[in-house]
Amino acid sequence: IDFMPWRFVTVIVMAALMLVSIALIATRGFNYALDFTGGTSVELLFEQPADVDEVRERLEAAGYPGAQVQTMGTGSDLMIRLQPKDGATDDAEAINRTADDVLRAASTEANPATIKGRSFVGPQVGQDLAKKGVYAIVFVVLGFLIYIAFRFEWKFAVSAIVTTLGDMLIVAGWFSLAGREFDLTLLAGLLTVMGFSINDTIVVFDRVRENFRGMRASPLEVLNTSINQTLSRTIITSVVAFLTVVALYVYGGGSLAGMSEAMMIGIVIGTASSILVA
């Protein structure tokens, strides 16, 4: 397949998507979850293992949309984090009122629950998590840059980093547009997208470097040959990874939905950018 004649078109499309994503993030921002905004945390102990998705649905019906429900070691012990109806306040009365309301919504006659613990997670914790998330992204980008520059050349490193950041920006722009909750699992998904994208790009670049040493041909021919030689490996790896993430999205429950969705979009975008842009 002759990819090189399309290089300007694909770069323009990628740049346009990046600009649109930046505009969306700047104007709409993100729908930050409790991980970053703070809220009330309630631990419930059920008599029998409880269905996490059913508990989440009952809480949403009770006026707590976006509640985070996860098991704590056993299926009977659930940790529930949510935004109080009367605003984020840390006084004992408000915490107790929210905890009692959560208990009424989550319990059923067939499977009653008791409150094992309750607390308030302040917004300061969320700000610290947000800072650490930014630090993690910067650390990963610098690590990629140093590694690729050491293994290849600076122009390879710059190309790979710009392309990888573009992939992550497009995925982040989608979540800004969709208004999905931005939590720590979604951040983990974005970091995974960076890792997957850079891995694909490095595989292509490694073959490019080898062919530049062994082929007597123009740069465009060397690049095109390298992409085609790694194409089957790239597609097979991406398809297998995509199917794995689809399984996570379908069967992993609501807590993994954001991360799985980020990875599904990122695998498609990252594969295309490795072949057509980087």
Side-chain angles (χ1 to χ4, degrees):
I1 302 172
D2 191 6
F3 289 104
M4 287 300 103
W6 295 93
R7 64 191 186 279
F8 296 116
V9 175
T10 54
V11 167
I12 291 171
V13 170
M14 179 78 166
L17 288 173
M18 288 173 63
L19 291 174
V20 169
S21 298
I22 292 171
L24 284 170
I25 295 170
T27 56
R28 296 173 61 94
F30 293 109
N31 179 23
Y32 291 107
L34 292 172
D35 292 333
F36 300 107
T37 61
T40 300
S41 176
V42 182
E43 187 175 356
L44 298 181
L45 183 63
F46 290 81
E47 289 188 358
Q48 305 168 17
D51 187 294
V52 172
D53 290 330
E54 287 184 6
V55 172
R56 190 180 291 110
E57 289 172 4
R58 289 199 293 272
L59 289 170
E60 187 168 352
Y64 294 102
Q68 298 179 4
V69 184
Q70 63 188 81
T71 57
M72 297 289 290
T74 67
S76 304
D77 194 355
L78 297 186
M79 176 63 74
I80 299 171
R81 291 184 294 171
L82 40 73
Q83 286 282 7
K85 292 180 181 178
D86 50 2
T89 176
D90 58 352
D91 64 88
E93 183 181 348
I95 295 173
N96 292 333
R97 187 167 58 249
T98 301
D100 293 338
D101 199 17
V102 167
L103 178 64
R104 285 192 295 270
S107 294
T108 61
E109 291 184 5
N111 190 15
T114 56
I115 298 175
K116 190 176 178 181
R118 65 194 85 187
S119 60
F120 180 79
V121 181
Q124 182 60 43
V125 176
Q127 291 176 10
D128 291 341
L129 287 173
K131 287 180 182 177
K132 289 178 181 178
V134 173
Y135 294 156
I137 293 173
V138 172
F139 174 79
V140 170
V141 169
L142 289 176
F144 287 161
L145 192 64
I146 294 169
Y147 170 74
I148 301 171
F150 178 77
R151 275 287 305 273
F152 302 99
E153 297 177 28
W154 272 104
K155 54 188 174 185
F156 283 93
V158 172
S159 172
I161 292 300
V162 170
T163 309
T164 302
L165 287 178
D167 297 340
M168 193 180 70
L169 269 175
I170 293 170
V171 176
W174 160 253
F175 281 98
S176 177
L177 177 65
R180 292 287 302 272
E181 280 199 339
F182 195 101
D183 57 12
L184 287 178
T185 58
L186 201 156
L187 178 61
L190 288 177
L191 292 173
T192 307
V193 167
M194 292 180 69
F196 188 90
S197 177
I198 204 77
N199 176 69
D200 256 358
T201 304
I202 286 175
V203 169
V204 179
F205 281 177
D206 193 51
R207 186 57 59 88
V208 169
R209 183 181 59 175
E210 291 177 6
N211 287 338
F212 265 122
R213 291 173 178 172
M215 288 179 60
R216 293 186 176 181
S218 65
L220 291 183
E221 187 177 344
V222 171
L223 290 168
N224 204 61
T225 301
S226 303
I227 294 171
N228 279 279
Q229 287 175 346
T230 56
L231 188 61
S232 60
R233 179 264 178 207
T234 299
I235 292 175
I236 290 171
T237 302
S238 299
V239 169
V240 172
F242 187 85
L243 291 176
T244 305
V245 178
V246 168
L248 269 181
Y249 184 79
V250 174
Y251 299 110
S255 60
L256 293 177
M259 182 181 74
S260 304
E261 187 176 338
M263 291 172 66
M264 285 191 295
I265 299 171
I267 286 172
V268 175
I269 297 293
T271 303
S273 69
S274 297
I275 298 170
L276 301 172
V277 180

